[in-house]
Amino acid sequence: MRRAASLLLQKAAAAVRESATGRAGAADGLAVLQRRASAAAGGARKGGGPVRRPAEQMHRGRGGAAFEAAPVVLTAEELAARERTNYLLGAGLIAMSAYGYYIVSRPRGGDGVPTPSPEHLVNWSGTHECQVQRFYQPETLEQLEATVKQAHTTAGRKLRCVGSGLSPNGLAFSEDGMVSLGLMDKVLDIDTASGQVRVQAGARVQAVADELRGHGLTLQNYASIREQTVGGFIQVSAHGTGAAIPPADEQVVALKLVTPALGTLELSQDQDPELFQLAKVGLGCLGVVAEVTLQCVPAHRLLERTTVNTAREVRKAHAQRLRDNKHLRYMWIPSTDTVVVVTCNEVAEGQEPAVPASKYSEEQQLAPLRTLLRSRLSAEQAAEVGGLSATQCRDRLLALGPLDAAWVKRVNQAEAEHWRRCEGTRVGWSDELLGFDCGGQQWVLETAFPAGTIEAPDGRDLAYMDELLRLVASHNVPAPAPIEQRWTAGSSAGMSPAAGAPGSLHSWVGVIMYLAELEPEQRQAVTKSFQQYAELVERQLMPKYGAVAHWAKIEVPSDPAQLAAMQQRLASRYPVAAFNAARRRLDPHNILGSPMMDALLPHTAAPAEAVAA
């Protein structure tokens, strides 16, 4: 493992020198990681194969009418860029694998259960870690069923399902026992007539997108990153942006759910619809999602347009922007009157929109950040700045004074100027453009709240931002950029933060503090500062706007009064009684629970009893 990591890190260094940009194919790198890590440790993964990319395909829409897919061919330059990124991300994460981030499959026991081992796990954000006693990685549905059954029939046993470990709050962590579906990652079926795809829950979102592209299909929307497993993607109600597009869980057509008490259930709108709607965003508490069927849409390209506005300009055009753009994202730069507006709209087949050349070279675009960074470094250190991307520059700049509000303002001002120089357009496939660089390790709190309808937005989304920015200023919060704001339509899943009627509009706002490049003492100080920042949002804004936190970004308060208030807020927003009743029916011994879930959604489980297998 160590030798494999070393070799990949050497190739990553070469990739850095060759790469002209710092952005491409992140999900591919993680997919490569999982396979190479497994091979390096002697674990042979079954299935898989090269991604098929035929030049032409015929496929059918929902009505069954055939239409011709656009040619899908990667250029040599695109392939080279993707391979460079594979090495970059694969190298970094395989090193984390050696540390305990990813675990390879173990031999299975005589009962069909993979032999577990104790492991030390750290989530992607570096904010939570777990010393798990038993870590399982089944390769088949039968092994998964045996693993869940064994936990159910063993007194006091726990078994949380983990995806990619991307949740900033370590939602899937449990010290007693965990199961990963990393080796259950196949695309099982693509039905071009219905436009549906059936996958194992451990399949990576980007791997599914790549496979779909060859059939002229894609997912309706994508989150900022695509390294998630499909199971994790839906279980936390991950979302992209688009006022008329609901979160990912709304794409779910059917589920195969392995439950402790009732075995494997197949759920859909026709098969136990009430449980289906709860299980779509089941938070890993109702069963382990083994397979997912998703409704797709025709593969399409998008025209992305990035502009920089003032807050006043945003307010003036906001309602029209929501209606006119398929995807809309704002990045508010604190302590500046700067809002980066990113829109994406579908390009009609056969059209080739004009994409004017940028006014600035890449070096000129990065100059505001690089110049500020060089001003604080020695001559020797400054010589290395020329190879840094924008997010890398920001990480290093913030590390020089992460809690110095005046310094953070200067960094934000440099970032605002960087974005002014990055205004422009580009064209690409939806799964390539809708993701973006989230930066390095970080604390983040993202809230969701209703904001009217797409036809009649009520203005609460911008009012929330006005109040948030005033809080940052009045409390002198060292708030780095960006504060990101996105929108979705409502979801029919009761446990989604965007649960609502069709046509309802929901705004999502994320505040952040970065941890990359920080020393341990600095990380502790930033963590404390972020907790204070988050408490401001939770006390001053969330009750007023009826906001709830993204399930992957909610943190359990240590203060009993704050925890009680959070439990009350969740109970008033979600069908918690029905959800906990389903938990008791499907998982009477609460083996799928965890300290976090039991604190947020407290319920009384049936007595845990040892039952003979």
Side-chain angles (χ1 to χ4, degrees):
M1 178 69 74
R2 293 178 187 274
R3 184 174 182 275
S6 176
L7 289 173
L8 276 179
L9 285 169
Q10 291 174 26
K11 291 190 176 184
V16 170
R17 291 191 294 269
E18 293 172 12
S19 181
T21 66
R23 176 182 180 182
D28 286 358
L30 283 159
V32 167
L33 161 68
Q34 188 169 17
R35 288 161 177 77
R36 292 183 180 171
S38 181
R45 181 197 168 285
K46 297 182 175 68
V51 175
R52 297 190 299 273
R53 290 186 179 276
E56 295 185 6
Q57 281 283 347
M58 295 295 291
H59 59 283
R60 297 178 183 275
R62 294 185 184 178
F67 57 96
E68 187 174 356
V72 181
V73 179
L74 285 181
T75 66
E77 182 180 9
E78 290 171 327
L79 285 169
R82 176 159 289 183
E83 182 65 13
R84 287 195 297 269
T85 305
N86 285 349
Y87 283 130
L88 282 164
L89 291 164
L93 284 170
I94 200 169
M96 287 163 54
S97 173
Y99 181 63
Y101 186 86
Y102 265 97
I103 313 302
V104 298
S105 182
R106 307 290 181 186
R108 69 177 183 218
D111 53 4
V113 179
T115 302
S117 62
E119 303 292 351
H120 179 222
L121 306 181
V122 181
N123 70 335
W124 172 79
S125 295
T127 52
H128 291 269
E129 57 185 303
C130 175
Q131 188 69 45
V132 60
Q133 298 178 36
R134 288 174 294 275
F135 189 93
Y136 302 86
Q137 199 164 19
E139 297 186 46
T140 67
L141 177 61
E142 292 74 21
Q143 289 182 24
L144 174 61
E145 290 171 331
T147 302
V148 174
K149 180 180 179 181
Q150 183 189 73
H152 177 60
T153 56
T154 304
R157 186 65 59 86
K158 292 286 187 180
L159 189 72
R160 285 290 288 170
C161 185
V162 64
S164 303
L166 290 171
S167 295
N169 62 357
L171 180 70
F173 284 179
S174 171
E175 292 187 352
D176 184 69
M178 293 171 62
V179 58
S180 164
L181 302 192
L183 297 180
M184 294 177 62
D185 64 348
K186 298 180 183 68
V187 176
L188 299 172
D189 180 64
I190 297 176
D191 185 341
T192 56
S194 64
Q196 294 178 2
V197 60
R198 183 167 60 92
V199 304
Q200 291 181 311
R204 303 277 176 169
V205 171
Q206 183 63 64
V208 174
D210 287 341
E211 190 76 12
L212 288 172
R213 182 96 66 81
H215 297 267
L217 297 171
T218 194
L219 299 182
Q220 185 181 36
N221 209 349
Y222 294 90
S224 55
I225 49 180
R226 296 176 296 281
E227 293 91 347
Q228 307 103 320
T229 61
V230 170
F233 188 54
I234 65 167
Q235 284 290 279
V236 299
S237 194
H239 65 96
T241 189
I245 304 174
D249 51 90
E250 197 69 7
Q251 300 174 49
V252 177
V253 176
L255 289 174
K256 185 170 287 187
L257 190 70
V258 180
T259 71
L262 302 184
T264 300
L265 305 177
E266 296 195 10
L267 303 175
S268 68
Q269 197 57 39
D270 297 324
Q271 295 177 277
D272 203 339
E274 184 176 347
L275 180 57
F276 173 61
Q277 292 299 343
L278 286 174
K280 286 195 299 184
V281 185
L283 307 172
C285 293
L286 302 183
V288 178
V289 176
E291 294 180 12
V292 183
T293 301
L294 298 166
Q295 183 64 55
C296 305
V297 298
H300 54 277
R301 294 185 304 154
L302 295 172
L303 173 66
E304 179 190 85
R305 189 180 307 278
T306 300
T307 59
V308 175
N309 288 211
T310 65
R312 181 178 180 181
E313 290 169 337
V314 165
R315 284 191 288 270
K316 183 177 180 181
H318 178 59
Q320 194 66 40
R321 276 202 181 103
L322 284 172
R323 290 189 291 267
D324 289 351
N325 293 285
K326 185 171 185 178
H327 306 278
L328 174 65
R329 175 164 59 99
Y330 293 164
M331 291 183 287
W332 300 78
I333 312 297
S335 307
T336 73
D337 188 15
T338 304
V339 188
V340 182
V341 178
V342 182
T343 62
C344 285
N345 290 291
E346 197 165 331
V347 176
E349 190 172 349
Q351 285 190 355
E352 287 297 334
V355 180
S358 173
K359 297 178 182 178
Y360 299 92
S361 67
E362 182 182 10
E363 178 65 32
Q364 291 171 328
Q365 291 172 346
L366 291 166
L369 291 163
R370 288 177 175 174
T371 300
L372 181 59
L373 181 56
R374 287 189 181 105
S375 72
R376 294 288 299 268
L377 300 177
S378 67
E380 183 179 355
Q381 293 172 322
E384 302 175 358
V385 171
L388 300 181
S389 69
T391 53
Q392 290 169 331
C393 284
R394 180 177 61 203
D395 284 343
R396 296 200 182 186
L397 283 163
L398 291 172
L400 297 173
L403 301 182
D404 181 343
W407 172 247
V408 174
K409 288 178 184 178
R410 288 189 62 188
V411 177
N412 288 347
Q413 289 163 359
E415 183 161 347
E417 180 57 31
H418 161 71
W419 280 110
R420 291 186 188 95
R421 299 181 183 200
C422 288
E423 288 187 310
T425 58
R426 60 180 183 147
V427 174
W429 293 100
S430 62
D431 62 289
E432 296 170 346
L433 291 193
L434 292 176
F436 52 91
D437 189 346
C438 295
Q441 292 185 345
Q442 58 198 242
W443 282 106
V444 59
L445 169 65
E446 185 177 30
T447 60
F449 54 94
T453 68
I454 188 172
E455 295 302 327
D458 59 19
R460 286 158 44 86
D461 48 2
L462 296 191
Y464 183 103
M465 284 307 311
D466 286 344
E467 288 199 50
L468 174 56
L469 292 171
R470 284 199 295 270
L471 281 174
V472 168
S474 62
H475 289 77
N476 204 31
V477 178
I483 298 176
E484 186 183 29
Q485 186 170 31
R486 292 179 282 176
W487 292 264
T488 68
S491 167
S492 60
M495 296 299 289
S496 169
S504 60
L505 180 66
H506 301 259
S507 182
W508 303 71
V509 176
V511 298
I512 197 166
M513 281 189 178
Y514 299 97
L515 297 169
E517 304 289 337
L518 300 185
E519 297 298 327
E521 296 79 7
Q522 288 180 305
R523 291 175 72 96
Q524 292 176 7
V526 169
T527 295
K528 182 177 180 180
S529 180
F530 181 79
Q531 290 170 346
Q532 296 168 347
Y533 188 7
E535 286 174 11
L536 273 178
V537 174
E538 290 166 355
R539 290 199 312 267
Q540 303 293 327
L541 297 179
M542 292 179 68
K544 179 176 180 179
Y545 288 87
V548 289
H550 190 306
W551 284 115
K553 300 166 186 175
I554 191 171
E555 297 285 348
V556 178
S558 58
D559 179 74
Q562 291 180 358
L563 176 58
M566 179 176 287
Q567 291 171 341
Q568 184 177 7
R569 186 161 60 243
L570 295 174
S572 66
R573 179 67 176 272
Y574 297 115
V576 172
F579 187 76
N580 281 339
R583 291 174 72 183
R584 287 190 290 271
R585 179 163 68 94
L586 302 177
D587 181 21
H589 298 167
N590 194 31
I591 71 165
L592 302 175
S594 67
M596 170 177 280
M597 295 313 308
D598 294 342
L600 295 175
L601 304 173
H603 78 299
T604 303
E609 299 175 353
V611 180

